[in-house]
Amino acid sequence: MPPFLEKFFPKVFRQTAEEGSESNYCKYDNQGLQLFTSSLYLAGLTVTFFASYTTRVLGRRLTMLIAGFFFIAGVTFNAAAQNLLMLIFGRILLGCGIGFANQ
């Protein structure tokens, strides 16, 4: 969405506004945007290994409760994000929630 790109990824926003740029690959070729996208998946994959231990020790119910807390914290950070670092940290917390919920 243009307002989101303008606030957090101004370089990408300028590239999408350029005339003559027909390739979507070239428009969205930005390492910050790639980190934003992949941070959720990488955190979820990594935390799944720790969550298996937590499930074994604490049980499923507490593991799901922990996942819920990670989701709430991630949504709070993403909603209050003022810069890219806060946005990525929120996505990492959401990925932790996904890792625990998958377990």
Side-chain angles (χ1 to χ4, degrees):
M1 296 169 56
F4 176 79
L5 287 175
E6 188 175 16
K7 181 172 183 172
F8 294 108
F9 304 100
K11 184 178 177 186
V12 175
F13 178 72
R14 286 191 301 272
Q15 288 174 342
T16 58
E18 288 179 5
E19 293 293 325
S21 178
E22 275 104 49
S23 172
N24 282 336
Y25 175 76
C26 293
K27 286 182 191 178
Y28 300 107
D29 186 22
N30 181 284
Q31 294 206 358
L33 186 60
Q34 292 170 4
L35 179 62
F36 167 74
T37 304
S38 63
S39 61
L40 181 126
Y41 305 116
L42 291 174
L45 175 69
T46 306
V47 170
T48 299
F49 297 114
F50 299 108
S52 65
Y53 174 76
T54 305
T55 303
R56 192 171 39 250
V57 173
L58 300 176
R60 291 183 186 163
R61 187 176 198 170
L62 283 176
T63 302
M64 291 302 288
L65 188 63
I66 292 169
F69 284 125
F70 274 123
F71 278 121
I72 290 170
V75 166
T76 303
F77 262 91
N78 279 338
Q82 295 298 314
N83 55 34
L84 184 58
L85 187 62
M86 282 182 74
L87 198 64
I88 290 173
F89 185 69
R91 295 275 292 191
I92 290 171
L93 288 174
L94 286 171
C96 291
I98 289 172
F100 271 90
N102 278 342
Q103 218 25 258

